[in-house]
């Protein structure tokens, strides 16, 4: 059967997406009109087949190739070939090495104290801002912090001046993102090019020094990313690329995930109270969890999961078929781009009742039982899914626990939070919130009250309009 979809337009589909108000809104309309498998014009890919049903997505889960043109904006970052689009035979061993470190508990435990110190430092700075009556810009500060976390993780304690490294990375990224989104450069183009070149050189030299140290000393332990890559026989250029790509993949996404979670909790005080009640019970007077405590914070985890459902930090993915593929009643031809609208999948009403509502309880084991495996895919799926998923969950949970144990977050009156789809899912004008210390007595009292009971009913009018992102 022919895959349904709108008639092609000479502008390659750009106009229709702009007219809908962005790719996500367009996707929702597309699937409402044409069903779960729909053909559309994707700028940069000509024709793509979008699949918004998690059961049908299973038939694509083996696809092991990304479309090159869609990811070519990242080409300048890499010396040994764009890691996003590596051929499968090069990608599979590289992925195995990454997973052996990133997904392993030893590396999480190893980095945990450093992560905690960074999170506590941010809580201190925000507490000081709050005391001065100033709002904080969540996405700006949290993505900067996640970058420092991943620098500490990927480069270990061996790097001098992590702030300089972090700043250099921001410089490079600002340039690539300006080009991707065709934003006029914030500085003179010549100066921008020179600054990017200098920053990239600094990043590569830094990583090179770490690699050289590993050559002499061998692999430190199972938490050593660079050591694992050296041991696996990867070329120095590929190792440099991997460290830079890991930083890129890790820092926006993690920072943005935490910021959307705080945003949702600020608009759902009853859920925020349940989180702080759980933190008080598990941590007592301790300001931060230990690694083993994270498992004892199941409600916090459901809040994070629900937040990543409503605001997936990486809202889209894509693959390319090598041969014809059967998708329900349809056949996708060889060489086609299969588009993954993760955000629309998360709002598919056939799999998520009242998809627009913030309801962390969806992720309790009882409610999650029987749900389609690919209904929740913030980290993608299949052989190109996120290698950092487990580490990201640790980072996000730790950050949320430290921040929410100590501080209370309220929306800034009148500040509109509008999702903006760029490489990751930002808010157009950041997420600005007011921060104040949590009253200890008050929170203890609340923690007792919420120990066993079901969540209290939401007060009328507490949900912000921006929480409503509908699947039509
Ligand atoms: C909340 C945080 C994060 C989210 C939501 C996220 C999400 C994603 C998504 C959606 C993809 C594309 C998956 C696909 O195409 O199926 C991806 C790829 C990737 N992510 Fe993450 N990510 C996060 C954090 C991290 C961290 C902390 C790291 C590393 C330390 C990381 C490393 C990577 C890498 C290396 C890839 C490329 C995968 C490949 O091509 O094999 N990510 N991530």
């Amino acid at each position: 059967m022919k895959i349904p979809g709108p008639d092609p337009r000479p502008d390659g589909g750009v106009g229709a997406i702009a007219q809908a108000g962005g790719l996500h809104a367009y996707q929702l309309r597309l699937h409402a009109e044409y069903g779960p498998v729909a053909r559309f014009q994707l700028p940069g890919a000509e024709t793509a087949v979008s699949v918004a049903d998690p059961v049908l997505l299973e038939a694509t889960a083996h696809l092991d190739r990304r479309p090159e043109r869609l990811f070519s904006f990242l080409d300048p970052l890499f010396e040994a070939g764009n890691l996003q689009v590596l051929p499968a035979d090069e990608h599979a061993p590289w992925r195995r090495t990454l997973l052996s470190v990133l997904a392993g508990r030893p590396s999480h435990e190893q980095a945990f104290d450093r992560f905690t110190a960074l999170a506590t430092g941010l809580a201190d700075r925000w507490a000081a801002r709050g005391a001065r009556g100033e709002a904080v810009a969540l996405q700006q500060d949290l993505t900067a912090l996640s970058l420092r976390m991943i620098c500490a993780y990927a480069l270990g304690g061996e790097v001098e001046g992590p702030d300089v490294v972090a700043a250099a990375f921001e410089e490079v990224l600002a340039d690539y993102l300006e080009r991707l989104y065709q934003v006029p450069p914030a500085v003179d183009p010549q100066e921008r090019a020179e600054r990017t070149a200098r920053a990239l050189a600094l990043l590569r030299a830094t990583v090179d020094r770490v690699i050289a140290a590993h050559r002499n000393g061998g692999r430190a332990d199972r938490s050593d990313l660079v050591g694992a890559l050296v041991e696996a026989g990867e070329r120095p250029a590929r190792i440099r690329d991997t460290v830079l790509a890991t930083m890129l993949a890790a820092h926006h996404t993690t920072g943005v995930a935490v910021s959307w979670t705080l945003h949702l909790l600020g608009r759902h005080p009853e859920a925020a109270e349940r989180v702080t009640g759980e933190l008080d019970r598990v941590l007592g007077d301790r300001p931060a969890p230990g690694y083993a405590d994270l498992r004892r914070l199941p409600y916090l985890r459901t809040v994070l999961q629900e937040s990543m459902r409503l605001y997936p930090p990486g809202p889209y993915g894509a693959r390319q078929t090598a041969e014809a593929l059967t998708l329900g009643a349809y056949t996708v031809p060889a060489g086609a781009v299969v588009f993954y609208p993760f955000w629309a999948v998360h709002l598919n009403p056939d799999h998520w009742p009242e998809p627009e509502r913030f309801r962390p309880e969806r992720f309790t084991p009882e409610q999650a039982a029987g749900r389609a495996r690919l209904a929740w895919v913030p980290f993608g799926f299949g052989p190109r899914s996120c290698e950092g998923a487990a580490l990201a969950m640790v980072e996000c949970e730790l950050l949320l626990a430290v921040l929410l144990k100590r501080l209370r977050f309220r929306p800034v009156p009148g500040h509109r939070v509008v999702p903006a789809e760029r490489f990751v899912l930002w808010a157009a004008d950041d997420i600005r919130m007011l921060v104040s210390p949590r009253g200890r007595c008050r929170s203890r009292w609340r923690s007792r009250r919420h120990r066993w009971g079901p969540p209290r009913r939401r007060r009328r009018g507490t949900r912000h309009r921006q929480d409503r992102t509908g699947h039509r």
Side-chain angles (χ1 to χ4, degrees):
M1 201 192 292
K2 190 169 179 284
I3 299 173
D7 291 334
R9 293 191 193 175
D11 68 358
V14 184
I17 293 172
Q19 208 178 3
L23 186 53
H24 175 57
Y26 177 81
Q27 287 292 317
L28 295 179
R29 275 192 206 171
L30 181 80
H31 288 292
E33 194 168 341
Y34 297 101
V37 181
R39 176 181 41 76
F40 75 113
Q41 282 177 292
L42 179 64
E46 281 133 34
T47 301
V49 176
S50 181
V51 187
D53 182 276
V55 178
L56 291 173
L57 279 176
E58 290 284 359
T60 74
H62 65 287
L63 294 178
D64 198 1
R65 202 171 137 205
R66 288 203 181 93
E68 285 182 18
R69 270 174 59 200
L70 279 185
F71 293 89
S72 60
F73 76 97
L74 287 173
D75 285 350
L77 187 70
F78 298 109
E79 293 172 86
N82 187 334
L83 286 169
Q84 289 282 329
V85 294
L86 278 190
D89 59 333
E90 277 183 68
H91 179 262
W94 175 83
R95 176 180 174 83
R96 258 197 312 279
T97 307
L98 246 62
L99 282 174
S100 74
V101 177
L102 295 178
R105 187 181 157 145
S107 80
H108 305 167
E109 280 186 299
Q110 178 102 356
F112 203 79
D113 285 351
R114 260 175 291 163
F115 286 173
T116 305
L118 288 168
T120 308
L122 182 68
D124 290 344
R125 291 196 293 283
W126 279 1
R129 297 278 300 270
R132 294 197 296 271
E134 295 167 9
V136 295
L138 298 192
Q139 298 202 326
Q140 182 188 313
D141 287 356
L142 284 165
T143 51
L145 185 80
S146 320
L147 182 57
R148 295 191 66 194
M149 283 167 110
I150 197 62
C151 282
Y153 178 93
L155 303 179
E158 300 156 70
V159 90
E160 280 172 32
D163 287 338
V164 179
V165 176
F169 199 74
E170 285 297 346
E171 191 81 64
V172 170
L173 209 62
D175 182 11
Y176 293 174
L177 289 174
E178 275 168 8
R179 273 188 271 152
L180 175 65
Y181 300 111
Q182 291 163 17
V183 177
V187 295
D188 170 70
Q190 176 68 25
E191 191 191 332
R192 164 64 84 214
E194 285 168 13
R195 277 165 58 168
T196 303
R198 270 200 306 273
L200 200 50
L202 184 141
L203 289 171
R204 290 189 172 143
T206 305
V207 180
D208 276 350
R209 276 198 298 278
V210 178
I211 294 166
H214 276 286
R215 282 259 154 72
N216 299 332
R219 185 172 168 177
D221 54 41
R222 282 198 296 155
S223 67
D224 176 356
L225 177 66
V226 175
L229 291 160
V230 172
E231 205 172 270
E234 293 285 359
R235 290 171 282 161
R238 172 62 49 79
I239 297 173
R240 271 196 302 265
D241 287 352
T242 303
V243 173
L244 294 183
T246 306
M247 290 174 176
L248 172 69
H251 92 281
H252 288 80
T253 44
T254 311
V256 156
V258 174
S259 71
W260 284 117
T261 308
L262 293 173
H263 163 71
L264 284 163
L265 287 174
R267 275 144 178 97
H268 297 273
E270 73 291 351
E273 284 180 18
R274 283 191 70 182
V275 169
T276 48
E278 184 178 73
L279 286 169
D280 288 346
R281 268 196 317 282
V282 172
L283 303 188
D285 287 335
R286 287 179 293 144
Y291 179 74
D293 289 319
L294 296 186
R295 252 173 296 141
R296 300 165 62 212
L297 299 169
Y299 187 69
L300 178 73
R301 176 168 271 242
T302 61
V303 165
L304 176 61
Q305 288 170 309
E306 175 68 340
S307 156
M308 285 202 275
R309 182 184 71 82
L310 284 169
Y311 296 110
Y316 309 105
R319 302 287 189 268
Q320 187 145 22
T321 53
E323 47 199 42
L325 177 78
T326 304
L327 264 186
Y330 307 109
T331 302
V332 180
V337 170
V338 175
F339 185 77
Y340 291 156
F342 298 139
W343 202 0
V345 173
H346 287 181
L347 296 171
N348 185 329
D350 294 339
H351 297 268
W352 299 101
E354 296 188 276
E356 301 163 19
R357 287 192 58 188
F358 174 71
R359 282 185 30 215
E361 296 73 23
R362 298 178 200 270
F363 290 93
T364 57
E366 301 75 38
Q367 290 204 28
R371 184 174 294 140
R373 184 180 74 100
L374 300 181
W376 187 75
V377 278
F379 297 105
F381 59 95
R384 302 271 165 163
S385 68
C386 176
E387 287 91 0
L391 175 68
M393 290 303 280
V394 169
E395 288 184 76
C396 291
E397 286 169 17
L398 168 62
L399 265 167
L400 288 167
V402 169
L403 295 171
L404 291 163
K405 180 78 170 83
R406 173 142 165 221
L407 301 169
R408 213 169 129 241
F409 292 83
R410 281 170 297 129
V412 170
H415 169 61
R416 284 190 70 220
V417 176
V418 182
E421 304 162 43
R422 301 210 293 267
F423 188 41
V424 296
L425 186 57
W426 296 89
D429 182 26
D430 213 307
I431 299 174
R432 296 176 196 283
M433 296 193 84
L434 296 168
V435 176
S436 53
R438 278 182 64 221
R440 252 181 69 73
C441 297
R442 194 169 147 76
S443 63
R444 278 203 167 160
W445 173 76
R446 280 182 175 157
S447 84
R448 269 203 304 278
R449 200 167 54 150
H450 285 279
R451 181 170 292 187
W452 305 113
R456 284 190 307 158
R457 288 184 55 201
R458 187 169 6 95
R459 267 176 261 130
R460 292 184 65 188
T462 51
R463 184 173 56 184
H464 191 270
R465 206 171 154 267
Q466 293 304 324
D467 295 347
R468 300 179 63 86
T469 38
H471 188 284
R472 280 171 275 173

